[in-house]
Amino acid sequence: MARMSFLSFLLFCLTSVAHGNKANKHKPWIETEYQGIVMENDNTVLLNPPLFALDKDAPLHYAGEICGFRVHNGAGGSGSAQFEAVVLDRSTGEGLVRSKEPLDCESQKEHSFTIQAYDCGEGPDGSNSKKSHKATVHVRVNDVNEFSPVFVERRYEASVPEGRLFDRIVRVEAVDADCSPQYSQICFYDIITPNVPFTIDNDGNIKNTEPLDSKRQRVHSFWVTAFDCGKNRAQADAQVIVTVKPSCKPGWIGWTKRIEYTPGSGSIPLFPNLHLETCEETVWNIQATVELQTGHIGKGCDRDSYSDRSVRRLCGAVRGEVDLLPPPSPATNWTAALPTLPSSDSSLVFSFNGSTHVAVVPDSVASAVSGDHFTLQLWMRRGGASAQPPANQARGTRKEEETIVCSTVKNDDSYSHYSLSVHGCRLSLFYWPDVSAARPVKFLWKLEQVCDSEWHHLSLSVQFPSVTLYVDGVTFDPALIHDNGAIPNPAPHQRLVIGACWEPEEKPKDIVNNTMPESKDTGKFVSGYKGLLSGVTVRPGNVEPHSVVECLYACREGLDFGDLETLGSGMKVHVNPSQSVLVLEGDDIESFNRAVQQVTYRNSLRFATPGVRPLKLTTSLRCFSEESCLSLRQLEGYLVVLQPDAPQISLSGVGPHLARPAAEFEGPQGVPLFPELRIVCSLSHAVNTAAQGMEGGALMSDAVAHTLDGCEVQPLGEELNPEREELLVDMEALRERGLDIINTTAYIAITGAESISVYEDVLRSIRYRLAKGSARFERRFRLSCSEMNGRYTSNELTLEVNFLHSLDSLYHPSHLLASQQQFLHPSHHTGELSGHTLPNPHRNSVVPGAATVIIMVCVGFLVVMVILGVFRIRSIHRRGEGARGGGKEGSNQWDDSALTIIVNPMETYENRMGIATDIEGECDDEEEVVDSPDDTSDDQRIIIKKEGRDSAPRRY
């Protein structure tokens, strides 16, 4: 009975489960969006992600299975009429979307529709079936290269005059009916007729490769074909017919493609033998443009190779500028995170990306440049090192504003704010004299230099309300000055940012006593600058005169006109501010030819930057009959600036050794290291002063041609220990001469452009001082100098300093006095120490401290040897008396009557110092070492001398 009850209960549970399977509680689930691709020759749509419908009722039969998908029409009209979805696996919900018929990409490239999944309900009849949400499906039809290119015309004709090269004679065009860019674009054209003097580019432009001659061939006929990017060739080729017309051969005669310039030559004519031939064509206006490309030389052209600080001194600029982008160092670490780029003129170039590259100047530096009278100077290049200006940027349509410098500084009891920004081809200065007021001023300039992706120097002199802008040394007036009273007040917190501007998260609405709680001083950097910056400085106070600004940043090379007085009637000459473009205009051929021959190139730098400067000559003619007027091709050449004669900077006058008593080094003034230093700068040949005296040239004086800009003194080996030693420099003398110094334990660097005599005086005054008791045996230093910002360097002068220690405090035994005086007498060591700089000899002679210890040991050793010698002599004497009259044995005893014992206490020191006395050399043949018969265990060394013995000495 119990067994029957258990089976009944189990049957009841199974029946309950079976009835529960029929319940369909959940809807199927699919993705909300699918991306599909289908080829023109394939019906299967590849979906991403794959089509899978999931049902939480799984694994229940029917309720947990997917029975199908429904396709609904989309917004574009695609849907069930073109696509269908089928179930591949009901249990997993896997599905497939396919097109009902082949699709045509040329008719419609994309299709959109919706898809919906439904489960199998609660039984085979699909009762109580549930549907999923509708998912959007985007299908793109991939193109198949089914069409070939077709020429718009089957035949192309053109007529050209002979003897000239053309940029384009005729243009052919083919089209392709495929829908995709890969197959619809014409990738290239080809001339299939061999051996024709023509070429065709990928755009279908045909030009001649050599001047055409009507006498040789009047008509040229050839065939061209086209290929799309799928390498399908055109269905039919096109014919091109070019007719050559006899014509005159106008142009420039005497053009030299390569022109060489020797640095130091002043101005040289570029086209001394050039003249224009018009073939008797009547012209009423001639215009020639000579363009010298120097953008790849330094920062736009050849300028002074000295550092910015040195150039300011040479040009007489007012001192006191503050470098806002200094080289990274422990003291100037706010530029350490900025990436730098190499520069041909050795200057430091920083790169800004418009977002993360920002330099925040410390408040201690920012407070030093406060005030409403200041000069802001910088080098800038938009877009980076190899950027090209965008097509729309040149028209000033760029929308992003980029901030170069943004400053809020405290002036007494108020805060002033200014920011320098670029916006397209516009430069703007936003100035707020007092942030508590609501009347800021904005100065605006429209400049092509801002958006040409070239290096330019900007000098902004502010004497509010007056503002003066210099670009490459040329003055520009503001194009617009207007009031921006609606702009919110900046936060009254001191902050100087390079490369962006700081924007607080919450704009202060009420400013009380020009203060704001520190908790609100949070925000972000906005309006980031994208480009390169170098030499960003601010100098508070009066502005620089125009002559100084022009000297600082004007190009030292460029185009010029030899003699304006030789210009003929009606001739005009115009040179742009950077002297890279010269324009000649006139109406008379003869006067024009004479003027062209007066165009010169000048470079006032004695050590000009060598390299190639591309040169172009563009000519336009205006005739009374515009239809038959001549057109001249652009001439291209290059100017080669040869390598200048490198100056030989020679440092001399300092011996390789400097020996002084240690007491002198320990004195308050120390010892001069280079008291007789001589610096000589020479060239391989003399400067051509006659060429320099030409019109437009520059006379290079010795002071400019031989100007050093840096010297460095470096200790070799370990660095200086500030607690024991130091190098002393006259800081007051450096300041008077305007020189800068970097004084570290690793080196001393003196920088600044100055004459050789000034550097000699400064270097001769450098002293080396030691603390009491810190002297050792030697110390080595290395001296080197450079010119033209490190471009030319001198020889490296190495100096070894020896410290001599006094022996006055030592006790000298009477029997050692003679040998010590012989060792210390200067006459015995003149040859060995000829390279040293020694003081005059005197009675208080000195030797190194280590020798003092050796002498004391030797004195003790001498006492032992004397006692031992006396004992040995007495012992031998006793044996002699005991054996006297003993016959043969007595006659064999050693005769020591002529025995002399010589002990040299300075031998160890002489071996250490490499000094050998003459006395030792004379006595080498007479020395002999004898073993003690009484004490064979004694390992002391005894040098003995015996008369009449020629044997070599031995040592024990």
Side-chain angles (χ1 to χ4, degrees):
M1 182 63 69
R3 183 180 182 87
M4 290 298 295
S5 299
F6 175 77
L7 292 176
S8 300
F9 175 77
L10 182 60
L11 181 61
F12 173 76
C13 291
L14 293 175
T15 305
S16 300
V17 172
H19 285 288
N21 285 344
K22 296 181 180 181
N24 190 6
K25 298 181 180 180
H26 301 93
K27 295 180 179 181
W29 179 88
I30 58 177
E31 299 284 348
T32 58
E33 187 175 11
Y34 295 89
Q35 301 291 335
I37 298 175
V38 61
M39 302 297 295
E40 280 187 323
N41 56 0
D42 191 3
N43 292 350
T44 302
V45 179
L46 301 179
L47 294 181
N48 183 24
L51 182 60
F52 281 95
L54 304 178
D55 198 314
K56 292 185 178 181
D57 294 323
L60 298 181
H61 192 46
Y62 298 115
E65 296 177 344
I66 304 301
C67 274
F69 297 91
R70 291 188 178 91
V71 178
H72 304 277
N73 293 336
S78 303
S80 59
Q82 296 172 298
F83 296 91
E84 62 179 357
V86 297
V87 177
L88 300 180
D89 190 336
R90 295 176 58 176
S91 61
T92 61
E94 182 181 2
L96 175 68
V97 176
R98 60 193 178 191
S99 61
K100 296 181 179 180
E101 58 186 14
L103 302 177
D104 188 8
C105 176
E106 288 72 30
S107 300
Q108 187 174 355
K109 296 181 181 180
E110 296 183 352
H111 300 268
S112 295
F113 54 88
T114 59
I115 190 172
Q116 193 175 29
Y118 59 93
D119 57 20
C120 297
E122 298 180 353
D125 56 352
S127 59
N128 196 19
S129 175
K130 294 186 179 297
K131 302 177 182 179
S132 69
H133 60 273
K134 292 182 179 180
T136 303
V137 181
H138 302 282
V139 178
R140 186 178 74 250
V141 182
N142 278 2
D143 188 23
V144 177
N145 194 11
E146 53 189 332
F147 297 99
S148 298
V150 177
F151 280 97
V152 177
E153 298 181 15
R154 296 293 304 276
R155 182 172 177 172
Y156 296 86
E157 296 183 5
S159 298
V160 294
E162 66 176 352
R164 296 164 55 186
L165 292 175
F166 297 90
D167 292 333
R168 186 177 74 177
I169 297 176
V170 65
R171 182 176 184 273
V172 299
E173 184 181 4
V175 295
D176 195 303
D178 286 308
C179 69
S180 64
Q182 179 181 0
Y183 300 130
S184 64
Q185 291 183 356
I186 306 301
C187 272
F188 62 94
Y189 296 85
D190 190 20
I191 298 177
I192 59 178
T193 303
N195 302 326
V196 293
F198 299 93
T199 183
I200 187 171
D201 60 17
N202 293 340
D203 296 327
N205 298 313
I206 297 176
K207 63 179 180 180
N208 56 327
T209 57
E210 62 184 38
L212 304 178
D213 188 356
S214 61
K215 296 179 181 178
R216 182 186 304 173
Q217 187 173 354
R218 181 67 181 274
V219 178
H220 295 267
S221 177
F222 52 93
W223 295 83
V224 297
T225 188
F227 293 85
D228 61 18
C229 294
K231 297 185 179 181
N232 272 3
R233 183 174 172 174
Q235 293 180 350
D237 302 328
Q239 184 183 17
V240 180
I241 299 176
V242 178
T243 303
V244 182
K245 299 185 300 182
S247 63
C248 181
K249 297 180 179 179
W252 291 99
I253 299 176
W255 171 261
T256 302
K257 189 173 183 180
R258 174 187 172 94
I259 304 171
E260 292 186 354
Y261 177 82
T262 302
S265 301
S267 296
I268 63 170
L270 292 177
F271 320 113
N273 302 316
L274 189 65
H275 66 278
L276 179 62
E277 178 61 57
T278 60
C279 298
E280 299 182 356
E281 181 73 24
T282 304
V283 296
W284 63 271
N285 182 269
I286 310 172
Q287 182 173 313
T289 302
V290 183
E291 182 181 357
L292 180 69
Q293 299 180 8
T294 59
H296 60 291
I297 304 296
K299 293 187 177 72
C301 64
D302 210 357
R303 293 183 170 89
D304 283 304
S305 299
Y306 297 105
S307 63
D308 290 342
R309 188 179 297 273
S310 299
V311 173
R312 291 183 61 84
R313 291 192 63 255
L314 295 176
C315 292
V318 182
R319 302 177 186 176
E321 71 276 3
V322 177
D323 195 352
L324 301 184
L325 288 181
S329 67
T332 58
N333 58 359
W334 65 88
T335 59
L338 295 178
T340 58
L341 299 178
S343 176
S344 58
D345 60 356
S346 302
S347 61
L348 197 59
V349 177
F350 295 92
S351 177
F352 293 82
N353 60 0
S355 56
T356 58
H357 297 164
V358 176
V360 180
V361 182
D363 292 345
S364 58
V365 179
S367 59
V369 295
S370 60
D372 56 0
H373 287 59
F374 61 89
T375 300
L376 174 65
Q377 298 180 346
L378 56 94
W379 288 97
M380 65 169 292
R381 178 176 179 178
R382 297 280 298 281
S386 59
Q388 297 295 330
N392 62 341
Q393 182 176 331
R395 298 187 295 269
T397 58
R398 191 172 179 179
K399 296 182 180 180
E400 298 84 2
E401 185 177 47
E402 304 176 13
T403 301
I404 302 175
V405 180
C406 188
S407 173
T408 302
V409 296
K410 186 176 183 180
N411 301 318
D412 297 331
D413 297 331
S414 63
Y415 287 88
S416 63
H417 175 88
Y418 72 87
S419 62
L420 183 66
S421 306
V422 287
H423 187 191
C425 289
R426 289 176 172 82
L427 179 74
S428 62
L429 174 66
F430 181 82
Y431 190 77
W432 208 316
D434 188 353
V435 298
S436 61
R439 307 295 292 179
V441 179
K442 189 173 186 179
F443 302 87
L444 192 63
W445 295 266
K446 186 175 181 181
L447 304 169
E448 291 296 330
Q449 292 90 332
V450 176
C451 54
D452 62 358
S453 295
E454 298 292 341
W455 278 108
H456 295 284
H457 182 267
L458 274 62
S459 179
L460 196 67
S461 299
V462 178
Q463 284 181 310
F464 190 78
S466 174
V467 175
T468 305
L469 174 66
Y470 300 95
V471 179
D472 298 330
V474 180
T475 309
F476 289 88
D477 296 326
L480 180 63
I481 302 176
H482 59 89
D483 196 344
N484 289 289
I487 297 179
N489 299 53
H493 283 272
Q494 183 162 282
R495 182 176 282 108
L496 179 55
V497 182
I498 310 297
C501 204
W502 177 261
E503 182 181 82
E505 293 182 356
E506 296 181 2
K507 296 290 185 179
K509 297 181 180 180
D510 298 325
I511 299 177
V512 180
N513 296 328
N514 290 323
T515 59
M516 186 172 65
E518 290 294 334
S519 60
K520 294 185 179 180
D521 190 17
T522 58
K524 60 181 178 180
F525 294 106
V526 297
S527 303
Y529 172 73
K530 300 177 182 177
L532 305 179
L533 291 177
S534 178
V536 182
T537 62
V538 174
R539 186 183 59 79
N542 296 330
V543 299
E544 301 281 10
H546 178 240
S547 59
V548 173
V549 177
E550 187 177 13
C551 171
L552 287 174
Y553 308 106
C555 292
R556 297 296 187 260
E557 69 172 338
L559 301 174
D560 204 350
F561 194 80
D563 188 3
L564 294 176
E565 296 181 358
T566 61
L567 275 178
S569 176
M571 289 295 302
K572 298 179 182 178
V573 179
H574 173 73
V575 183
N576 69 335
S578 62
Q579 296 184 316
S580 61
V581 177
L582 184 145
V583 180
L584 287 174
E585 187 174 357
D587 52 10
D588 181 68
I589 295 295
E590 296 299 328
S591 299
F592 197 88
N593 286 335
R594 289 195 298 270
V596 168
Q597 295 174 4
Q598 290 290 327
V599 177
T600 62
Y601 168 79
R602 63 156 190 88
N603 195 319
S604 60
L605 294 178
R606 181 63 188 87
F607 306 108
T609 303
V612 175
R613 277 80 163 164
L615 193 65
K616 295 181 180 180
L617 175 61
T618 305
T619 311
S620 63
L621 304 177
R622 293 185 180 181
C623 308
F624 292 101
S625 176
E626 295 293 340
E627 296 180 358
S628 60
C629 193
L630 303 175
S631 61
L632 303 180
R633 67 181 180 90
Q634 184 184 66
L635 298 179
E636 296 184 357
Y638 53 93
L639 173 75
V640 180
V641 178
L642 302 179
Q643 185 76 28
D645 300 324
Q648 304 296 325
I649 307 173
S650 176
L651 307 180
S652 61
V654 177
H657 299 276
L658 173 65
R660 290 288 188 276
E664 295 186 17
F665 289 95
E666 295 174 353
Q669 300 299 326
V671 175
L673 292 180
F674 317 105
E676 299 179 0
L677 175 67
R678 293 191 300 273
I679 305 177
V680 178
C681 183
S682 60
L683 297 174
S684 59
H685 64 272
V687 177
N688 187 357
T689 56
Q692 289 182 341
M694 294 179 59
E695 182 69 23
L699 293 176
M700 306 300 297
S701 64
D702 290 341
V704 176
H706 302 94
T707 299
L708 301 180
D709 61 3
C711 288
E712 182 178 293
V713 180
Q714 178 183 4
L716 299 181
E718 61 183 16
E719 298 183 2
L720 295 176
N721 187 347
E723 299 179 355
R724 300 175 52 189
E725 54 187 343
E726 62 178 340
L727 290 175
L728 303 178
V729 184
D730 190 351
M731 302 301 296
E732 185 65 27
L734 291 179
R735 282 192 293 267
E736 291 178 358
R737 292 173 168 87
L739 299 178
D740 299 322
I741 184 171
I742 301 175
N743 194 350
T744 67
T745 58
Y747 64 93
I748 285 183
I750 302 173
T751 60
E754 259 299 348
S755 62
I756 289 179
S757 60
V758 171
Y759 269 95
E760 284 181 338
D761 294 341
V762 172
L763 294 176
R764 289 170 183 171
S765 66
I766 296 180
R767 296 173 172 268
Y768 179 54
R769 186 165 68 90
L770 293 173
K772 293 291 183 179
S774 300
R776 46 185 182 179
F777 290 112
E778 63 181 17
R779 187 53 143 140
R780 300 176 67 213
F781 295 92
R782 182 172 59 198
L783 171 64
S784 62
C785 295
S786 64
E787 185 177 0
M788 307 298 288
N789 206 17
R791 183 173 170 184
Y792 303 108
T793 58
S794 69
N795 60 309
E796 293 184 348
L797 193 63
T798 302
L799 175 67
E800 180 178 311
V801 179
N802 300 112
F803 309 103
L804 306 180
H805 301 264
S806 175
L807 293 178
D808 291 343
S809 58
L810 296 179
Y811 171 75
H812 303 284
S814 59
H815 61 276
L816 292 179
L817 184 58
S819 62
Q820 291 179 4
Q821 289 178 350
Q822 179 183 4
F823 172 79
L824 298 176
H825 199 280
S827 62
H828 292 282
H829 308 286
T830 303
E832 288 80 6
L833 300 179
S834 59
H836 291 69
T837 303
L838 290 173
N840 293 329
H842 49 81
R843 190 161 186 85
N844 294 329
S845 303
V846 292
V847 295
T852 303
V853 179
I854 297 175
I855 291 175
M856 296 177 66
V857 174
C858 291
V859 169
F861 180 74
L862 173 64
V863 174
V864 175
M865 292 297 102
V866 170
I867 295 174
L868 183 61
V870 172
F871 176 77
R872 179 181 298 170
I873 292 173
R874 293 181 63 183
S875 176
I876 295 175
H877 182 67
R878 291 193 190 99
R879 288 200 302 267
E881 290 180 351
R884 187 171 299 166
K888 202 171 205 177
E889 292 182 0
S891 63
N892 292 333
Q893 292 294 329
W894 181 18
D895 185 9
D896 56 359
S897 60
L899 178 65
T900 302
I901 301 176
I902 300 177
V903 178
N904 187 0
M906 300 305 297
E907 178 183 353
T908 305
Y909 173 74
E910 290 174 350
N911 291 336
R912 174 182 177 87
M913 300 300 294
I915 302 175
T917 62
D918 296 335
I919 296 178
E920 288 183 355
E922 296 174 355
C923 299
D924 282 345
D925 296 335
E926 300 179 358
E927 290 177 354
E928 183 177 358
V929 179
V930 178
D931 192 5
S932 172
D934 298 335
D935 190 2
T936 58
S937 63
D938 187 4
D939 60 352
Q940 303 293 334
R941 296 180 180 179
I942 303 176
I943 302 175
I944 64 175
K945 181 179 179 182
K946 183 177 180 182
E947 297 179 357
R949 305 278 296 186
D950 296 332
S951 60
R954 294 191 297 253
R955 298 190 178 185
Y956 293 87

